[in-house]
Amino acid sequence: MARNSTLGVSTSLLASNPVSDPIPMLRMLTKLPEYGSARAWLAHLDLLKFVIASDLETALVVEDDVDWDVRIKAQTTLVSDNVRAYPGVDESDSTPFGINWDVLWLGHCGSSIVDEMPPPRVFAGASRCETELYSGWSKLFLRDRLVEGHRQVQASFLDVCAFGHGVKKRGARKMVSYLSDGADEAFDVALSRYCKEGELKCLVVNPQLFNHYEPPAGSGYLSAVHIGDGQGETSDESGFESSKGTTGSIMKSARSEVLFHDVCMRPPSEI
């Protein structure tokens, strides 16, 4: 956990291993997440409970294998301006991102854009990768519904992966209440459902600012979620940082800049 006011939030929190074991939760469910997915779910819940217990107004929750662009501070300034300009934000509200939301979904692996959504707030973003270089299932929405070189703040309709999200104290309380039953296959699936149904007020930045970093193919890497789900064992992690991996849709990877003074954008794909 780190105090960090530079991105406009009270605290940044890292979702990694949970404090508690998921076995008791799994025994109570009829629709089970796999063991690794349940551990990741509990890690998110632990951080939400920390936000509530610490009486934090806002927190940024990021998963432990994410990456971002070296220009993240400039990106979040643009996001702040446009979240505050999104319909429904009180002009007298002086907080960096406004208060008229529960969840601000900044990191994901895809977000849909559909006619049923309220009008988005579209803004120019020079650090956004070109649509044809984008890697992810939602590429068709960007191609058909978003001007090249732009991002948008939009309502959540269908979002996959919870790589990074801002949460308000009010939102954390709701999330703990709604998400503690574990009745879905993964945390992000349940979160997206409550956002879509309107139980949580969720805004999404599309395309994303945070994405999953993957060590190079052939390195033997498996995430903790996949290991817990029974997909095998990972190789020694000490070697991962000596070989450059990839991050989808992030033009100037902060991780790759620090380790290799290079970029590492994943080849474009439609999945």
Side-chain angles (χ1 to χ4, degrees):
M1 293 173 290
R3 285 281 174 190
N4 188 341
S5 61
T6 60
L7 298 183
V9 296
S10 304
T11 295
S12 300
L13 304 173
L14 182 69
S16 185
N17 293 318
V19 173
S20 52
D21 191 274
I23 290 296
M25 178 181 79
L26 293 175
R27 287 173 177 162
M28 294 186 293
L29 301 177
T30 55
K31 186 177 182 181
L32 300 180
E34 297 286 350
Y35 181 81
S37 298
R39 282 178 58 83
W41 195 319
L42 285 176
H44 279 280
L45 287 176
D46 286 343
L47 293 182
L48 292 170
K49 292 174 183 177
F50 177 84
V51 170
I52 297 167
S54 302
D55 199 33
L56 298 172
E57 289 301 323
T58 56
L60 173 64
V61 178
V62 293
E63 295 192 343
D64 61 3
D65 55 359
V66 301
D67 197 3
W68 51 87
D69 197 286
V70 295
R71 298 162 290 185
I72 188 67
K73 289 175 69 174
Q75 290 176 336
T76 53
T77 298
L78 276 174
V79 169
S80 170
D81 292 342
N82 285 278
V83 168
R84 289 178 48 75
Y86 190 80
V89 176
D90 188 341
E91 292 184 1
S92 65
D93 178 7
S94 61
T95 58
F97 293 92
I99 60 173
N100 195 29
W101 49 269
D102 297 316
V103 178
L104 179 58
W105 214 318
L106 299 168
H108 48 80
C109 53
S111 180
S112 63
I113 305 173
V114 296
D115 292 337
E116 296 93 318
M117 292 164 33
R121 174 74 182 183
V122 180
F123 60 97
S127 61
R128 198 210 106 169
C129 78
E130 296 177 16
T131 299
E132 291 311 309
L133 298 178
Y134 187 84
S135 174
W137 64 270
S138 61
K139 186 173 185 173
L140 73 158
F141 297 109
L142 302 180
R143 183 186 294 124
D144 296 342
R145 292 176 173 262
L146 186 58
V147 178
E148 191 68 67
H150 288 67
R151 282 190 164 94
Q152 66 183 35
V153 175
Q154 64 180 60
S156 172
F157 187 83
L158 175 61
D159 303 282
V160 181
C161 307
F163 294 143
H165 57 276
V167 60
K168 293 289 186 184
K169 179 170 57 179
R170 174 191 65 237
R173 291 194 181 104
K174 291 181 184 179
M175 291 169 75
V176 169
S177 174
Y178 296 147
L179 297 170
S180 291
D181 60 4
D184 246 313
E185 60 263 38
F187 175 84
D188 62 310
V189 175
L191 178 59
S192 182
R193 176 166 59 85
Y194 282 111
C195 291
K196 180 180 178 180
E197 293 173 354
E199 300 294 338
L200 292 166
K201 183 164 186 180
C202 305
L203 297 180
V204 182
V205 176
N206 196 11
Q208 66 271 48
L209 301 186
F210 297 88
N211 209 346
H212 171 59
Y213 172 85
E214 294 182 2
S219 66
Y221 167 79
L222 277 179
S223 71
V225 171
H226 291 151
I227 295 168
D229 289 351
Q231 296 184 25
E233 296 297 326
T234 192
S235 58
D236 182 5
E237 292 189 13
S238 63
F240 292 159
E241 293 189 352
S242 62
S243 300
K244 187 174 68 173
T246 59
T247 302
S249 310
I250 302 297
M251 290 179 63
K252 295 184 178 181
S253 156
R255 182 178 185 126
S256 187
E257 173 61 29
V258 169
L259 294 175
F260 308 106
H261 304 294
D262 199 0
V263 297
C264 68
M265 199 157 77
R266 189 174 307 140
S269 70
E270 304 279 341
I271 58 173

